[in-house]
Amino acid sequence: MKSCEELRETMLATLPLLFVCQEENNRLKISTPYLYPNGDYIDLYLVETPNGLYLTDLGETMGYLADYSIALKQSSKRRKIVHDILLTHNVELFQGELRVYLEKEEQVAHAVVRLSQAITQISDLVFTLRLGTRTTFKEEVEEFWVEYGIPFERDYVVIGGSGESYTVDFYLSVPKHPWLVETLSSQSRSYANTLVSRVIRVWHDLHRVDGRYRYLSLIDDSADVWKAEWLDQLAEFSEVIAWSEREKLLQLLKAASGQGKASL
Amino acid sequence: MSRGILQEAEAEHIVRLPKRVKGPNNWQQRDDGNWYMEMPVEAPEQWPLRLYGRFNPRTGCYTFILFCGTLNVRRLDVGKRHHNPDCNDVGPVHKHTWTDRFGDKWAYEPSDISSANSIRETFFAFLAECHIAFEGQFREPPQTYQKGLL
């Protein structure tokens, strides 16, 4: 293993390579290794005026927040957070730009780090949007298996009677007969129709192979998009359970495994 | 769109739907100095779709997004490099595509457009990929920064 001294040499030689500078429109563009939350790189610009130098993002951070419908003037809480971040790093918000004013050229490196850190912290406001904490229906179902100790495999590949392979959402390792589970979730009736057709086709093709599995269609009924006749069609090939009635799911799995407790 | 979040298959389904927007696309400058446009997107299915654009006259960077609700179904960025979660970098013209695993963090470099293309060309290439027909007049964003002295 390298000594601390050697690692230090390597690190100090490598770090500056992560910052790329190029002259652009009479200013210096500094490409940093720091990222906005969606993975886009943070670029900074060093601008020289008769009054001195300043480092700026040229309004990209506020634009990034706007892409996620975040407007500071609409939320005093977010304004307060941003104000606190600006205070910490001595950064100014001027006409939509985040700026650091420099008294001496030697301050540039320090300013690049301060401004980059302020930008990453401010752009992290997108994580305060509600969607950041939401999960897909499939993930919610996965959490259910974990919570009730039901052994499962996600994205299980199985071959149908036609020879075509399908990736089914879940394989449940239940004694006697394992289960294959497909989750169906949509906010749109037409897409729900597409989903039902696809799942029926999968179940139909798998039915033609053998009787190794039992089949379960789990319906996200948080939106009223499912027609009764579609569910009837699904029921010809699988058990159909609405997510709002998932206690039935536990009973079904318990009965299938011949055990009297939730954990299978 | 389940539980408020988009699934990858739904996003692809939305992209493939034949859609349209009616021009002109008017640009408005906000307090942050960037120019913005937003247009409702008509589709044969009930999805909350809109087309969004942002142009930063100070950097020349611009972004077009097909939104479903508040989520990016497709996003085009011009002028900014991108870093993918697998540590591969993509160039200054890239498109974000919605994935179950990474949300909007995954981007790829399109083969049909480059930095050399005009905003108009890029805009229509983006619309073509998203299967959106544009009716009416296309307006370029103003190139000027009008927020006073820098």
Side-chain angles (χ1 to χ4, degrees), chain A residues 56-63 96-98, chain B residues 32 34 54 56 58:
Chain A
T56 172
D57 71 338
L58 288 177
E60 276 300 313
T61 308
M62 290 302 133
E97 293 181 29
L98 296 171
Chain B
D32 62 18
N34 294 313
R54 173 168 64 88
N56 186 339
R58 293 157 290 188

Side-chain angles (χ1 to χ4, degrees), chain A residues 33-251:
Chain A
Y34 302 108
L35 304 173
Y36 287 104
N38 73 347
D40 286 355
Y41 279 102
I42 293 172
D43 293 328
L44 306 177
Y45 301 83
L46 189 62
V47 180
E48 189 170 17
T49 70
N51 299 326
L53 289 168
Y54 67 88
L55 194 67
T56 172
D57 71 338
L58 288 177
E60 276 300 313
T61 308
M62 290 302 133
Y64 179 80
L65 293 181
D67 295 346
Y68 290 84
S69 302
I70 294 179
L72 294 185
K73 62 182 176 187
Q74 289 171 355
S75 163
S76 59
K77 192 176 173 183
R78 288 187 180 128
R79 271 202 309 277
K80 199 174 169 188
I81 292 170
V82 168
H83 177 73
D84 200 30
I85 294 167
L86 297 178
L87 206 61
T88 302
H89 301 292
N90 195 17
V91 172
E92 279 189 30
L93 178 58
F94 179 76
Q95 293 184 342
E97 293 181 29
L98 296 171
R99 289 184 178 183
V100 173
Y101 293 93
L102 308 174
E103 291 171 4
K104 295 180 287 187
E105 286 178 20
E106 293 75 29
Q107 295 174 325
V108 171
H110 190 225
V112 165
V113 174
R114 272 165 47 210
L115 184 53
S116 299
Q117 195 176 0
I119 290 170
T120 52
Q121 290 176 350
I122 290 171
S123 57
D124 280 351
L125 280 175
V126 298
F127 294 123
T128 62
L129 295 175
R130 281 187 179 177
L131 63 97
T133 57
R134 289 184 189 182
T135 57
T136 63
F137 179 55
K138 188 173 165 183
E139 286 167 338
E140 196 172 337
V141 172
E142 186 171 340
E143 285 170 13
F144 182 83
W145 307 139
V146 172
E147 186 181 348
Y148 286 96
I150 299 167
F152 70 94
E153 280 182 45
R154 189 184 160 126
D155 298 329
Y156 185 76
V157 178
V158 62
I159 311 281
S162 64
E164 194 174 339
S165 68
Y166 302 97
T167 303
V168 175
D169 286 340
F170 296 104
Y171 167 93
L172 301 185
S173 180
V174 176
K176 295 183 183 173
H177 274 295
W179 287 74
L180 297 180
V181 182
E182 283 279 56
T183 59
L184 295 92
S185 175
S186 178
Q187 294 285 307
S188 150
R189 177 154 285 191
S190 60
Y191 185 69
N193 187 15
T194 306
L195 272 180
V196 168
S197 301
R198 188 184 67 78
V199 172
I200 286 174
R201 182 167 161 261
V202 171
W203 290 154
H204 177 260
D205 203 17
L206 293 178
H207 263 284
R208 293 161 59 192
V209 185
D210 54 37
R212 280 178 299 170
Y213 307 106
R214 296 188 69 180
Y215 306 98
L216 176 62
S217 303
L218 264 182
I219 309 293
D220 174 8
D221 55 342
S222 61
D224 182 23
V225 295
W226 309 100
K227 285 187 178 178
E229 53 264 39
W230 298 345
L231 303 184
D232 288 344
Q233 288 169 332
L234 277 170
E236 287 185 28
F237 298 96
S238 66
E239 296 286 345
V240 179
I241 291 185
W243 190 236
S244 62
E245 297 176 344
R246 52 191 174 275
E247 70 280 1
K248 288 183 185 170
L249 176 60
L250 286 175
Q251 292 163 9

